[in-house]
Amino acid sequence: MSNPLLYSHQFLATGGQCNAGGTMSLPVLVQAIIDVATEHANALNIGFERLRTFNAAWVLSRLSIQMDRWPGVNEEWTMTTWIENWNRLYSDRVFEITDAQGNVIGNARTAWVAIDVDSRTPADLTQLHPETMIYAEKKCPVPRMRKLLPVALDTATVVRDYQFLYTDIDVNGHVNSVRYVEHILNLWPPALYAKYPLCGFEIAYIHECFYDQRVAIAAIETQPDDTGTAHATVDILRDGERAVAAAVTFRKKS
Amino acid sequence: MSNPLLYSHQFLATGGQCNAGGTMSLPVLVQAIIDVATEHANALNIGFERLRTFNAAWVLSRLSIQMDRWPGVNEEWTMTTWIENWNRLYSDRVFEITDAQGNVIGNARTAWVAIDVDSRTPADLTQLHPETMIYAEKKCPVPRMRKLLPVALDTATVVRDYQFLYTDIDVNGHVNSVRYVEHILNLWPPALYAKYPLCGFEIAYIHECFYDQRVAIAAIETQPDDTGTAHATVDILRDGERAVAAAVTFRKKS
């Protein structure tokens, strides 16, 4: 692939990366999204080293994933990414997931902000001269993330308490983006995922959480509709305030 | 690299894979060890697909890691693996971790068993005709894992209770090897790792754990010696029985 505005990385879904359903797990996909974004940003010289020159760091703000099919054990798959759009505050980066035959099996959309490492406030992205980095020839079918209604603790259908531990914390000193995803998935037992595998996931990172903080992870679930699709809206609440909002889509195993 | 008995995989330590100390985290290294072992086994045709023909699956039995230095954020590193030895029950696979300049920054040693997927008992590895797959030209400096003394709950200096959740469970239907490592690391706060980064880790997987089971994670810690090195011996106890035994070595940050 010769166009530097498109970047691809090939992966193997090892058994160790797969869930009890025999398919690659969502946290592995989210980590790959973050890693491939990082690699492409480095290649474009808008990565960690460049942002460090103005005391900033990339932080994932929003993520939406739609999967038609998950890679199985020992299956090769490829992630391709490009920058779709860019403004002063957000960089919109999208992803296509393909199997070894080149079939598209999923897509993802992310929004990134650069935060000032000291003030924790957003940095101005226009200083990266981004207009030349947009790739307009491919389209991502995942819509921009919708606004998620808050989950009130007293109407939640499932709630779990959690206190952040050492391995939750990343290089930015706050809770790692992938960890929130895992804590949300842990609201449900393996038996649910066996019948209703995940097919969609959206998450908005609103406020940073830190080591030792206690949160409530609360969800409102819907019953499956005629097509066997069920939804859950999830909030991670710290002192009653929404730190993370998410939505999970399950689809009855065919 | 033309010798198929040596296998290398190059990685980038992204920010998302690094801990608050700014270096790649141990769980990322353990996942890489499992993934690179899987890739090399596939290349040698002793991987998942081959073992499936006699209803078996590879399971990590023991792991020892010694790191002189950890890759930092955005640093490229390479893992090289080879089979050191093999008998009816165990496959001994070792690893060398090098930086971009080719300096060895760490080593690891693993022992794998193939278990029968139904009976959960060890399968006979001699049917893989392994004698041709040993690479004897490189040596791994990590000694065979020593026998770890059991940790009694009443003498433990730190104990944490845990109940296994959805994301702990892998394709084999039991708790994932990397998860035990994370639960052990979570015995200590980030402040400890900031002063005393990890330099060594050993783990023996004794009995499988499953979803919803409750365990006690108990450790006996030593005080730092003259060289600033401290040790912890850790057991993961299920109904008082040792499911996992581990040892952690910390070394005062210089």
Side-chain angles (χ1 to χ4, degrees):
Chain A
M1 196 171 302
S2 56
N3 189 329
L5 300 182
L6 266 188
Y7 180 87
S8 289
H9 188 133
Q10 189 179 309
F11 293 92
L12 174 74
T14 62
Q17 296 173 3
C18 289
N19 57 34
T23 58
M24 193 176 74
S25 78
L26 175 65
V28 170
L29 181 66
V30 175
Q31 185 69 59
I33 285 171
I34 294 169
D35 292 346
V36 170
T38 302
E39 289 167 15
H40 192 205
N42 286 346
L44 293 171
N45 191 29
I46 53 168
F48 176 82
E49 294 295 345
R50 175 79 176 283
L51 262 68
R52 203 161 62 165
T53 62
F54 47 97
N55 202 40
W58 284 117
V59 171
L60 182 58
S61 173
R62 290 193 298 269
L63 165 67
S64 306
I65 295 173
Q66 292 179 350
M67 293 299 280
D68 295 326
R69 180 173 86 73
W70 292 87
V73 177
N74 232 20
E75 184 175 342
E76 287 188 345
W77 60 282
T78 298
M79 181 176 279
T80 301
T81 184
W82 63 98
I83 297 171
E84 186 197 61
N85 210 343
W86 193 306
N87 62 32
R88 203 175 56 80
L89 214 55
Y90 290 102
S91 171
D92 293 325
R93 178 180 278 286
V94 293
F95 301 83
E96 186 178 81
I97 295 116
T98 46
D99 65 16
Q101 287 72 46
N103 303 308
V104 177
I105 59 172
N107 292 276
R109 166 179 296 283
T110 57
W112 297 77
V113 293
I115 62 162
D116 185 277
V117 171
D118 296 317
S119 71
R120 317 302 280 183
T121 56
D124 182 352
L125 291 177
T126 53
Q127 59 196 310
L128 291 175
H129 301 290
E131 61 282 356
T132 58
M133 291 180 187
I134 290 169
Y135 184 76
E137 280 149 69
K138 267 173 96 76
K139 298 291 168 203
C140 176
V142 180
R144 267 166 209 284
M145 195 166 165
R146 60 210 157 93
K147 208 166 175 80
L148 297 171
L149 288 174
V151 176
L153 273 181
D154 54 358
T155 57
T157 52
V158 50
V159 179
R160 201 167 71 84
D161 293 316
Y162 184 72
Q163 187 170 15
F164 292 110
L165 295 164
Y166 168 67
T167 59
D168 291 312
I169 308 305
D170 72 12
V171 66
N172 291 318
H174 61 199
V175 174
N176 184 284
S177 309
V178 182
R179 289 296 171 170
Y180 294 110
V181 176
E182 293 177 336
H183 295 311
I184 290 168
L185 296 187
N186 281 336
L187 282 174
W188 297 284
L192 178 102
Y193 293 98
K195 278 192 188 167
Y196 287 90
L198 268 181
C199 65
F201 190 86
E202 293 171 86
I203 188 165
Y205 301 97
I206 301 164
H207 292 295
E208 300 173 282
C209 292
F210 297 93
Y211 176 71
D212 215 34
Q213 290 183 334
R214 287 174 187 275
V215 289
I217 307 165
I220 297 177
E221 305 150 294
T222 67
Q223 289 303 310
D225 65 16
D226 294 348
T227 67
T229 306
H231 299 275
T233 310
V234 189
D235 275 0
I236 298 182
L237 300 159
R238 191 191 51 207
D239 297 328
E241 192 188 30
R242 214 177 184 193
V244 168
V248 190
T249 308
F250 304 90
R251 190 162 298 147
K252 195 170 167 54
K253 198 165 183 169
S254 50
Chain B
M1 195 172 300
S2 57
N3 189 328
L5 300 182
L6 266 187
Y7 180 88
S8 287
H9 188 133
Q10 190 178 308
F11 293 92
L12 174 74
T14 63
Q17 298 173 3
C18 289
N19 56 34
T23 58
M24 193 176 75
S25 77
L26 175 65
V28 170
L29 181 66
V30 176
Q31 184 70 58
I33 285 172
I34 294 170
D35 291 346
V36 169
T38 302
E39 290 167 15
H40 192 206
N42 286 346
L44 293 172
N45 190 30
I46 53 167
F48 177 80
E49 294 294 345
R50 174 79 177 284
L51 263 66
R52 204 161 60 165
T53 62
F54 48 95
N55 200 40
W58 283 117
V59 171
L60 183 58
S61 171
R62 292 193 298 270
L63 164 68
S64 307
I65 295 172
Q66 292 180 351
M67 293 299 282
D68 294 327
R69 180 174 85 72
W70 292 87
V73 177
N74 234 19
E75 185 175 344
E76 286 188 345
W77 61 282
T78 297
M79 181 175 279
T80 301
T81 183
W82 64 98
I83 297 171
E84 186 198 59
N85 211 341
W86 192 307
N87 61 34
R88 203 176 56 80
L89 214 54
Y90 290 102
S91 171
D92 292 325
R93 177 180 279 287
V94 293
F95 301 83
E96 186 178 81
I97 294 115
T98 46
D99 66 15
Q101 287 72 48
N103 303 309
V104 177
I105 60 172
N107 292 277
R109 166 180 296 282
T110 56
W112 297 77
V113 293
I115 61 161
D116 183 278
V117 171
D118 297 317
S119 72
R120 319 302 279 181
T121 55
D124 182 352
L125 291 177
T126 53
Q127 57 195 312
L128 291 175
H129 300 291
E131 61 282 356
T132 58
M133 292 180 187
I134 290 169
Y135 185 77
E137 279 148 69
K138 269 175 96 75
K139 297 290 169 205
C140 176
V142 180
R144 266 166 209 283
M145 193 165 167
R146 58 208 159 95
K147 207 165 177 78
L148 297 171
L149 288 175
V151 177
L153 274 180
D154 55 356
T155 57
T157 53
V158 51
V159 180
R160 201 168 72 82
D161 293 315
Y162 184 71
Q163 186 171 14
F164 292 110
L165 294 165
Y166 168 67
T167 59
D168 291 312
I169 308 305
D170 72 10
V171 67
N172 291 317
H174 60 200
V175 173
N176 184 283
S177 310
V178 182
R179 290 296 170 167
Y180 294 109
V181 175
E182 293 177 335
H183 296 309
I184 290 167
L185 296 187
N186 281 335
L187 282 174
W188 297 284
L192 178 101
Y193 293 98
K195 278 192 188 168
Y196 287 90
L198 267 181
C199 66
F201 190 86
E202 293 173 86
I203 187 165
Y205 301 97
I206 302 165
H207 292 295
E208 300 172 280
C209 292
F210 297 93
Y211 176 70
D212 214 37
Q213 290 183 334
R214 288 173 186 276
V215 289
I217 307 164
I220 297 178
E221 305 151 293
T222 68
Q223 290 302 308
D225 63 17
D226 294 349
T227 68
T229 305
H231 300 275
T233 310
V234 188
D235 275 0
I236 299 183
L237 299 160
R238 191 191 51 207
D239 296 329
E241 192 188 31
R242 215 177 183 194
V244 168
V248 190
T249 308
F250 304 91
R251 190 162 298 145
K252 196 171 166 53
K253 199 166 182 168
S254 52

